[in-house]
Amino acid sequence: MTRLAFFVLIAITASAADITTARAAAAVVAVNSPLQAPLAPSPSDPFPLWLQELTGQTRWPGETPPYIPMPNIDLSQVPNEIPRRDLGVCQGIERSHCSFDCYRCVAVDDISTCPTLSQTFDDGPSMHTPKLLMELEYKTTFFTQGINVVRYPDIFRQQHMAGHLLATHTWSHAHLPGLSNEDIVAQLQWSIWAMNATAGIVPKYFRPPYGAIDDRVRSISRQFGLVAVFWDRDSYDWRLNDDSKLVEEVVKDIVSWKQESQGGLILEHDSTVKTVNAGINVSRMLGPSQLTVAECINSNWYQNQ
Ligand SMILES: [Zn+2]
């Protein structure tokens, strides 16, 4: 058995108890009335023993997770000619580094669209996610932050048991091109461990926060087996939060996108009540023909399923 195979095995085997818990959570969901208020934040699950042994840590990290060396992640393979950069800074950035946030550059193995116009939701889970789950009549894709997965483990399991595709949006919404190679690893590894410990899944799809990526970040995310996912339709729903955008304007965008083309991948968020309400509106407009990101490319949903 290779060391990588052993690592994956230890992670999957250790999560069997969590899957049992997830089934119990699903039973609770089944009797919930659609009118029931969103769940209060759940107490965090105990930090798993297998993760204690793997990392030497005794609790889930805060905003800045510690780097844990892994036998299958080789940082000597990461290109060293691509400089670190701050959020929003594109001056002096070479086009050859294939930044999505600066130049909309998409690598051959990235995903940025879908044959059917489909929603995606970033930044959760949040206390508002259950309201969205109660309304959705189709399977969607959630790009979750690990720190929120362990903050709301029952909600994350509800998302999983409802059949939605769960993907990673890093541990704590880091601007990855600004981080060291080690800190990029930490953002990815802890988000994957959070998802595995909570619902027994190893994500295949990854959306970098702010769409911020370059070939240095990709060379690390690929070693984790992750496929980078972007969007080609931005709802700018986060502007609803400070009223700099109205729901009517989001709706207008959807109408024009539907007229322009059959396809597309829409960026939305399940982080606030306003963005969730907008997401519900959009879901009613687009209907149940939408696809998850895995279905957009007719591929598997997780690395371990
Ligand atoms: Zn985000």
Side-chain angles (χ1 to χ4, degrees), residues 56-284:
Q57 305 291 306
T58 55
R59 66 185 71 179
W60 291 108
E63 294 273 333
T64 308
Y67 164 65
I68 309 294
M70 292 167 63
N72 52 318
I73 305 297
D74 180 2
L75 294 182
S76 72
Q77 303 296 317
V78 178
N80 56 16
E81 75 279 8
I82 301 178
R84 289 164 63 170
R85 58 185 165 93
D86 291 332
L87 179 62
V89 175
C90 294
Q91 200 172 16
I93 301 302
E94 307 250 357
R95 286 184 178 270
S96 61
H97 299 162
C98 198
S99 156
F100 179 82
D101 49 318
C102 290
Y103 301 119
R104 294 273 147 176
C105 179
V106 175
V108 286
D109 55 340
D110 293 346
I111 299 170
S112 61
T113 191
C114 184
T116 302
L117 189 57
S118 299
Q119 296 171 275
T120 62
F121 295 91
D122 287 12
D123 292 1
S126 77
M127 61 184 297
H128 307 290
T129 305
K131 181 177 183 184
L132 183 59
L133 295 179
M134 285 190 283
E135 297 287 341
L136 290 180
E137 295 180 346
Y138 66 97
K139 309 301 183 225
T140 194
T141 307
F142 290 96
F143 292 92
T144 61
Q145 297 181 61
I147 200 168
N148 286 339
V149 171
V150 300
R151 189 176 286 157
Y152 299 106
D154 290 340
I155 295 174
F156 185 76
R157 283 188 284 266
Q158 278 186 37
Q159 293 173 284
H160 184 231
M161 297 309 291
H164 298 294
L165 175 61
L166 297 165
T168 175
H169 195 44
T170 73
W171 172 257
S172 57
H173 214 269
H175 177 251
L176 298 176
L179 299 184
S180 66
N181 294 341
E182 289 80 4
D183 286 344
I184 294 171
V185 170
Q187 283 286 332
L188 296 178
Q189 67 188 168
W190 282 99
S191 74
I192 293 170
W193 287 332
M195 296 174 72
N196 196 357
T198 307
I201 50 179
V202 177
K204 176 175 177 183
Y205 303 98
F206 147 66
R207 178 173 279 162
Y210 318 101
I213 201 168
D214 53 33
D215 282 343
R216 181 174 69 94
V217 175
R218 278 189 192 87
S219 78
I220 298 172
S221 60
R222 284 173 182 143
Q223 290 191 48
F224 279 97
L226 294 168
V227 175
V229 181
F230 304 99
W231 60 88
D232 56 358
R233 305 293 190 190
D234 193 341
S235 70
Y236 291 101
D237 61 344
W238 51 273
R239 289 184 178 164
L240 297 167
N241 295 325
D242 67 0
D243 297 323
S244 61
K245 185 163 188 174
L246 302 173
V247 175
E248 292 75 17
E249 294 174 287
V250 175
V251 166
K252 202 172 146 196
D253 286 342
I254 301 293
V255 170
S256 71
W257 294 339
K258 279 181 75 173
Q259 287 169 348
E260 278 172 32
S261 132
Q262 292 290 310
L265 212 48
I266 306 173
L267 172 60
E268 299 183 55
H269 299 83
D270 60 320
S271 43
T272 71
V273 67
K274 288 186 177 180
T275 59
V276 161
N277 287 341
I280 291 167
N281 275 333
V282 174
S283 77
R284 290 173 182 158

Side-chain angles (χ1 to χ4, degrees), residues 21-34:
T21 313
R23 291 203 181 103
V28 173
V29 173
V31 298
N32 276 351
S33 154

